Amino acid sequence: MASVFQHSRSCCQQRLSRALTSTPKISSPISSALAQRKYSTFSIFASSLSAQPRFLHVNTCTPHQSTTKRHFSPKSPFEQPSLFDAEYERLRLRRNKHIRMHPDGHGKDILPGNYVIKKHPKTGQERKVILEHALGYFWALKELSLTDNKPILSNESIIPAAEAEKFPTLNGLHCLNDEVVNIPDFFTRNNDSKDATAQCTLVALSCKDFGAKLLPSWTKPFDDVLRYGNGSHKYETVRITINEGRIAKLLSPLIVSGTKKNVPEEDHGRTLLYYGDAGEMRDILRMHNIYTGYVFLVDGIGRVRWAGSGEGSEEEVENMIRFARELTTPPRKVLRQSNTSGPRVGKMVSQHD
């Protein structure tokens, strides 16, 4: 290393001497100044070469890293930190575990925050990838064709009361009668007794017009059989339209006027509009696909007891109505049997007993 440095120093000194001995042609004061600056630069460099070489060692490695390798921040997207951080765990635990995802849909693979897990084709290392980047920007439309507009499947039975989870909170919804409400408090506003069987609410949600057109297949039979039938005070239908994005907020007057024209006046107090980000609520209810419609049965204390999506079939609608009736049926009182031993009243007992 020292011989190479001495050789380069001697070469530079020879070039400097040849430059100083030669008489450059100076045709103007500007050329003279440039020449003097050039010679002074060579002089400074030569004087630095005549001094003893000194090396500066900068240790950029941590004590646990080897100093013989260079460590870079991971440029490859496959080199990511742990996937299970605190925020991810918090959102994952809040998801409703009783909602059935379609086996052919993409929803079952979507992580909180709209991510999916991808594997490197060569190394096999896993990483988190944004949903649109992994599946394409039209993944939701493809999923509708794969699942027949049903990203989540209808529950085949009522979710047990002990395992049922609360409907997620969403504040600042606007009724068509100019009232601002919060859910799930709005669903239980008429239940003063706080009894789970006092009422049942069918919540119909949509984010796009296509999904809104699928909801009447659920709401109309529910209204005809339960809301307008016997015991109608126990049943209610609430329609919610989610409008995400800044443009939707600016166009809210037009959205309200258009919705009022399509909704009967008697239902204006039960039709809610929301403007803003509802991503966390949609993730909890597994509403990843915004192009279809979703329905939920909520009991008298705001718990989700049944879920469905897409267009309701005849069998699904019959099950929904049957489940709604079961949710408003008070549990039967079971008489406790006495375990006390002894003779029955009126039985003759001998003295030997």
Side-chain angles (χ1 to χ4, degrees), residues 184-296:
D185 297 337
F186 182 76
F187 306 148
T188 60
R189 66 192 184 282
N190 298 324
N191 186 10
D192 298 331
S193 63
K194 304 302 179 184
D195 183 8
T197 62
Q199 66 178 51
C200 177
T201 304
L202 176 64
V203 182
L205 295 100
S206 63
C207 301
K208 302 293 183 181
D209 291 338
F210 179 76
K213 294 177 181 179
L214 300 176
L215 294 179
S217 62
W218 303 94
T219 58
K220 190 177 186 305
F222 186 88
D223 291 342
D224 294 340
V225 177
L226 299 177
R227 272 192 62 203
Y228 303 134
N230 295 329
S232 58
H233 62 282
K234 293 184 178 181
Y235 305 102
E236 185 179 32
T237 303
V238 177
R239 298 169 178 84
I240 301 177
T241 302
I242 299 175
N243 303 281
E244 294 183 302
R246 299 178 180 179
I247 299 179
K249 182 63 176 178
L250 298 176
L251 300 178
S252 58
L254 298 177
I255 297 176
V256 171
S257 61
T259 307
K260 285 184 177 180
K261 295 179 181 179
N262 298 325
V263 176
E265 187 175 356
E266 60 179 2
D267 293 334
H268 284 186
R270 292 184 294 269
T271 302
L272 311 180
L273 303 176
Y274 179 77
Y275 307 96
D277 183 17
E280 186 169 344
M281 187 205 73
R282 290 193 296 102
D283 185 81
I284 294 173
L285 297 176
R286 309 307 301 269
M287 297 169 51
H288 306 298
N289 196 320
I290 62 175
Y291 290 98
T292 189
Y294 300 87
V295 287
F296 303 91

Side-chain angles (χ1 to χ4, degrees), residues 3-20:
S3 60
V4 174
F5 182 79
Q6 291 177 358
H7 177 71
S8 60
R9 181 176 62 182
S10 61
C11 292
C12 291
Q13 288 177 347
Q14 291 176 3
R15 292 179 182 178
L16 178 62
S17 61
R18 286 198 298 267
L20 293 175

Side-chain angles (χ1 to χ4, degrees), residues 13-125:
Q13 288 177 347
Q14 291 176 3
R15 292 179 182 178
L16 178 62
S17 61
R18 286 198 298 267
L20 293 175
T21 53
S22 61
T23 55
K25 296 181 180 181
I26 302 174
S27 57
S28 65
I30 298 177
S31 301
S32 176
L34 293 175
Q36 291 178 2
R37 183 176 180 181
K38 178 179 178 181
Y39 298 148
S40 62
T41 303
F42 273 105
S43 301
I44 295 173
F45 182 68
S47 62
S48 64
L49 292 177
S50 62
Q52 294 295 331
R54 294 179 296 175
F55 298 94
L56 179 63
H57 175 71
V58 180
N59 185 11
T60 60
C61 300
T62 61
H64 300 287
Q65 294 175 341
S66 173
T67 57
T68 60
K69 296 182 180 180
R70 301 182 66 183
H71 297 269
F72 297 96
S73 59
K75 294 182 180 180
S76 173
F78 290 92
E79 301 177 13
Q80 296 290 341
S82 175
L83 303 179
F84 303 99
D85 51 7
E87 181 66 14
Y88 170 82
E89 284 295 321
R90 183 187 71 84
L91 295 174
R92 186 182 66 84
L93 293 175
R94 291 197 62 189
R95 281 182 166 181
N96 195 307
K97 304 173 185 60
H98 300 281
I99 294 179
R100 301 173 56 215
M101 306 305 298
H102 199 291
D104 297 332
H106 301 302
K108 65 182 187 302
D109 302 322
I110 298 176
L111 303 177
N114 286 335
Y115 287 94
V116 294
I117 295 293
K118 295 283 287 186
K119 282 189 177 182
H120 195 282
K122 295 182 179 179
T123 64
Q125 190 175 4

Side-chain angles (χ1 to χ4, degrees), residues 120-139:
H120 195 282
K122 295 182 179 179
T123 64
Q125 190 175 4
E126 294 183 346
R127 63 172 177 136
K128 281 192 303 185
V129 183
I130 298 176
L131 179 60
E132 287 78 6
H133 293 176
L135 303 179
Y137 288 96
F138 302 101
W139 71 269

